[in-house]
Amino acid sequence: MATNYENRVPVWYWVVAVLALLWEAMGCFAYLRDVSMTAADIAALPEGQRQLYAAMPAWQAAVYAVAVWVGLSGAVMLLMRRAWARPLFIVSLIACLIQFGYTFIVLKAADVVGPAQAYPLPAAIIVIAILLVWFSSMALKRGWLR
């Protein structure tokens, strides 16, 4: 059976897909850690982080869950070479934007914990989410996803 050269997936695709899976798994781990914090864990946080944690509504935790678990599903779809990866990464990106938008606009996280602590990780998360949408779109256009 001949393989169509255009649909052959390069090695770097698999490297990106595995890295995406590891990144998304770390997000799921962070989510589980955050939602399972005990009162003692919360009390051990710096004051600003305690304020943000206390102000987080339940729906924001749900959006956080959507962002990480749907993102993990997107990474699994990349490994399975399924076109579902793209819409899953789009949903994950939208959830990230909602979650961090609320954190920065409504809760004013930068005022509470300072910009140096508030911005870097969320900025990296959003940039990577955008890159995963772009990567899955490119893979779909090249015929690497079915």
Side-chain angles (χ1 to χ4, degrees), residues 82-145:
R82 297 291 181 241
W84 270 100
R86 183 176 181 271
L88 291 170
F89 283 135
I90 290 170
V91 169
S92 179
L93 171 61
I94 291 168
C96 284
L97 293 172
I98 292 169
Q99 175 192 0
F100 292 127
Y102 185 83
T103 300
F104 290 109
I105 295 168
V106 177
L107 297 181
K108 300 188 185 317
D111 293 343
V112 177
V113 295
Q117 187 178 0
Y119 292 134
L121 184 59
I125 290 168
I126 291 170
V127 167
I128 291 171
I130 291 168
L131 289 173
L132 288 172
V133 170
W134 169 81
F135 180 76
S136 58
S137 298
M138 181 266 308
L140 190 59
K141 287 178 188 169
R142 292 187 180 187
W144 299 340
L145 304 178

